[in-house]
Amino acid sequence: MIPTSLMMRRIILGIMLLPMIVQAQTLEECQQAAEHNYPLIRQYDLIGKTTDLTVANIQKGWLPQISAMAQATYQSDVANFPEQFQHLYQQMGLDMQGLRKDQYRVGIDVNQTVFDGGMISSQKRIAREQGKVQAAQTEVNLYQVRKRVNEMYFSLLLLEDQIQLNNDLQELLAGNEKKLASMVKHGTAAESDLKNVKAERLNVVQQNISLVSQKRMLQNMLSTFCGIEVKSPQKPAVTEMGATNNRPEMRFFDAQLRLADAQEKALDAALMPKLGVFAQGYYGYPGYNMFEDMMSHSWSLNGMIGARLTWNLGALYTRKNDKAKIRLQREMTENSRDVFIFNNQLEQIQENEEMARYRKLMTEDEEIIALRSSVRKAAESKLSHGIIDVNDLIREINQENAAKVQQSMHEIQMLKQVYDNKYTTNN
């Protein structure tokens, strides 16, 4: 069956998604919507139903096992009286024909387990643990959806910032274009200067068209992936980093170890004796009364009931190797967990270094922008006084814009590293 925590998670998730059908705003909402929308989530129900059916079938081992059979045989020899006895019986007026070589039987066997040494219980435990392993593997695969959402979400945020900066740049160039048009009208600037600024503004307009197209494409991809309309993504807040590793892979490894424990306990149950009762009945020839059937070749009803104690000591032959295989399976799982933790720690080190690098870069961004803005304003003043040409002004405008774009990229990349780290640790 699906673990209770997973079932509750799905129920809560469904309730949380109800007000989000129109649009999603936050990264967490997009992640939850994407997990709910991803087709893989249906495997939880399939795994749960399969596990329930498997356990139910194993439980039926306590029901009476009924088998019907019909057979016809011809034997090379049968039980019979010696010739001396046959002559003696003939003198007494008795015809002892003996058993016929062709024999027939139609019957039913019923076997009921009374004590199985814990075998059925062990098989049910193994089936449940196998279901938990499959559910944990599904959770691992489903968790990877978050990383894909992160990639698209932060790319969309970066595009939105670039579009806003592009619009600001267009306004700045349009303002200078308007000033130059006035200067051309009064003969203080050349017509070529006006055309130069206008061409630069049109280049920026073309860039805007490309950026808007990329945003629309990415927005449609993210909306399709999440199953909801994503219109206004919001920049997530910088949160505290968790110290523990809560990745679903850890639960997957734990489930595998519990399965190995259940399989090992099943080896003990295989060594226990089994007690059962049985009933057999058939209609045919010969019956249990062999002497009667030697005199009369008619079919008869026959029945038997009893108890049977079995002890399969053959399980001892493979027990040592079976336990060694389970021990190796457990060691492989533990080694896989150690490898995962090792690689996960390397990822955290890299992400922490990247976050520290972007924080340092961001401390200088504001000052760089302030300096570039000051230089750009001074260039505008110099142009109006004829000290510099328009190319110098365009260069300063582009450098100021590049500084703003760089600041935006540093901020978004730093945020992405923070949430990549959250993905790495699931905290």
Side-chain angles (χ1 to χ4, degrees):
M1 295 181 63
I2 298 176
T4 305
S5 60
L6 292 176
M7 184 65 74
M8 290 300 297
R9 176 185 170 194
R10 294 188 57 203
I11 294 173
I12 294 172
L13 182 59
I15 295 173
M16 292 175 63
L17 286 173
L18 290 177
M20 294 164 45
I21 301 301
V22 177
Q23 66 180 33
Q25 297 291 334
T26 68
L27 176 61
E28 288 77 9
E29 289 172 344
C30 284
Q31 288 175 341
Q32 292 169 358
E35 289 184 4
H36 187 266
N37 182 59
Y38 202 61
L40 186 65
I41 199 170
R42 291 197 293 270
Q43 283 199 13
Y44 282 126
D45 283 338
L46 298 177
I47 292 170
K49 291 177 181 178
T50 301
T51 301
D52 290 342
L53 291 172
T54 302
V55 172
N57 285 342
I58 295 172
Q59 181 65 27
K60 286 180 171 58
W62 289 112
L63 298 178
Q65 305 301 306
I66 303 173
S67 61
M69 65 88 182
Q71 71 176 33
T73 61
Y74 184 85
Q75 300 178 197
S76 62
D77 205 355
V78 292
N80 209 336
F81 286 104
E83 292 184 3
Q84 295 84 347
F85 282 93
Q86 291 185 20
H87 291 317
L88 180 61
Y89 285 134
Q90 288 174 359
Q91 292 174 3
M92 296 172 61
L94 298 174
D95 184 15
M96 299 297 289
Q97 302 176 29
L99 294 178
R100 293 171 61 105
K101 292 184 178 181
D102 56 321
Q103 300 182 3
Y104 309 92
R105 179 176 296 188
V106 178
I108 294 178
D109 288 347
V110 180
N111 292 277
Q112 172 64 57
T113 300
V114 177
F115 174 74
D116 71 339
M119 197 65 188
I120 291 178
S121 177
S122 295
Q123 290 175 345
K124 290 195 296 183
R125 188 181 304 113
I126 290 174
R128 291 192 182 99
E129 294 300 335
Q130 287 175 335
K132 292 177 181 178
V133 169
Q134 292 175 346
Q137 179 64 70
T138 300
E139 186 182 4
V140 169
N141 296 335
L142 195 60
Y143 184 74
Q144 296 172 3
V145 169
R146 297 189 185 185
K147 191 170 186 65
R148 297 174 66 180
V149 171
N150 284 359
E151 294 291 338
M152 289 186 283
Y153 194 90
F154 284 105
S155 296
L156 188 58
L157 286 176
L158 184 58
L159 281 171
E160 286 198 335
D161 274 8
Q162 290 181 347
I163 290 172
Q164 182 59 52
L165 291 173
N166 182 280
N167 291 332
D168 294 342
L169 181 58
Q170 288 185 52
E171 291 182 8
L172 182 60
L173 288 170
N176 281 279
E177 185 180 346
K178 185 176 180 180
K179 291 179 183 177
L180 280 168
S182 177
M183 292 172 65
V184 169
K185 184 177 180 180
H186 291 87
T188 58
E191 183 74 22
S192 59
D193 292 339
L194 175 62
K195 292 180 179 180
N196 197 352
V197 173
K198 184 176 182 180
E200 186 67 22
R201 181 178 60 80
L202 292 177
N203 285 335
V204 175
V205 170
Q206 286 185 330
Q207 294 173 12
N208 185 272
I209 293 172
S210 178
L211 291 172
V212 170
S213 177
Q214 292 179 48
K215 175 190 173 183
R216 187 184 307 111
M217 177 190 68
L218 196 57
Q219 207 167 32
N220 290 336
M221 288 176 60
L222 184 57
S223 297
T224 301
F225 197 76
C226 296
I228 54 179
E229 186 177 4
V230 181
K231 287 187 175 180
S232 302
Q234 296 179 352
K235 289 183 182 179
V238 178
T239 58
E240 294 294 329
M241 298 296 103
T244 59
N245 191 325
N246 195 32
R247 284 283 290 266
E249 286 86 349
M250 304 300 291
R251 293 186 286 277
F252 173 64
F253 295 132
D254 291 341
Q256 286 184 312
L257 292 175
R258 288 194 298 269
L259 174 59
D261 293 339
Q263 291 171 333
E264 190 169 21
K265 290 180 180 178
L267 295 179
D268 298 331
L271 283 177
M272 298 294 291
K274 312 294 188 293
L275 176 64
V277 295
F278 65 90
Q280 298 175 344
Y282 74 90
Y283 178 67
Y285 171 85
Y288 291 142
N289 190 339
M290 185 174 59
F291 292 103
E292 179 70 25
D293 291 333
M294 287 183 179
M295 298 179 63
S296 172
H297 293 164
S298 60
W299 288 29
S300 61
L301 287 171
N302 302 271
M304 178 191 302
I305 61 173
R308 182 184 292 116
L309 179 67
T310 59
W311 198 344
N312 180 20
L313 298 179
L316 286 171
Y317 303 153
T318 60
R319 178 178 173 83
K320 182 178 179 181
N321 289 341
D322 289 338
K323 288 181 74 70
K325 285 170 60 178
I326 293 174
R327 183 177 65 253
L328 290 173
Q329 177 184 334
R330 187 181 289 111
E331 290 176 358
M332 289 176 63
T333 300
E334 291 173 347
N335 178 256
S336 297
R337 180 171 60 186
D338 291 341
V339 170
F340 172 78
I341 292 174
F342 181 82
N343 291 332
N344 189 270
Q345 288 174 343
L346 290 180
E347 289 180 15
Q348 291 183 54
I349 291 172
Q350 181 180 359
E351 289 161 355
N352 289 331
E353 287 298 323
E354 287 293 305
M355 284 187 285
R357 180 170 72 92
Y358 284 123
R359 285 192 178 97
K360 289 179 181 178
L361 291 173
M362 290 171 63
T363 58
E364 309 295 337
D365 282 333
E366 287 293 341
E367 185 177 359
I368 293 173
I369 291 173
L371 292 172
R372 288 296 180 189
S373 296
S374 177
V375 173
R376 186 262 304 168
K377 292 175 182 177
E380 290 176 337
S381 177
K382 290 179 181 179
L383 179 66
S384 64
H385 291 85
I387 301 175
I388 62 173
D389 60 20
V390 74
N391 290 324
D392 294 329
L393 174 62
I394 291 175
R395 184 180 65 251
E396 298 302 336
I397 290 175
N398 286 334
Q399 287 182 349
E400 179 190 17
N401 181 69
K404 292 179 178 179
V405 170
Q406 184 172 260
Q407 181 191 43
S408 172
M409 290 179 64
H410 289 164
E411 180 186 3
I412 299 299
Q413 288 170 340
M414 200 277 290
L415 282 174
K416 185 177 181 299
Q417 287 298 324
V418 169
Y419 280 85
D420 280 349
N421 186 264
K422 285 173 66 66
Y423 172 84
T424 301
T425 60
N426 193 25
N427 284 311

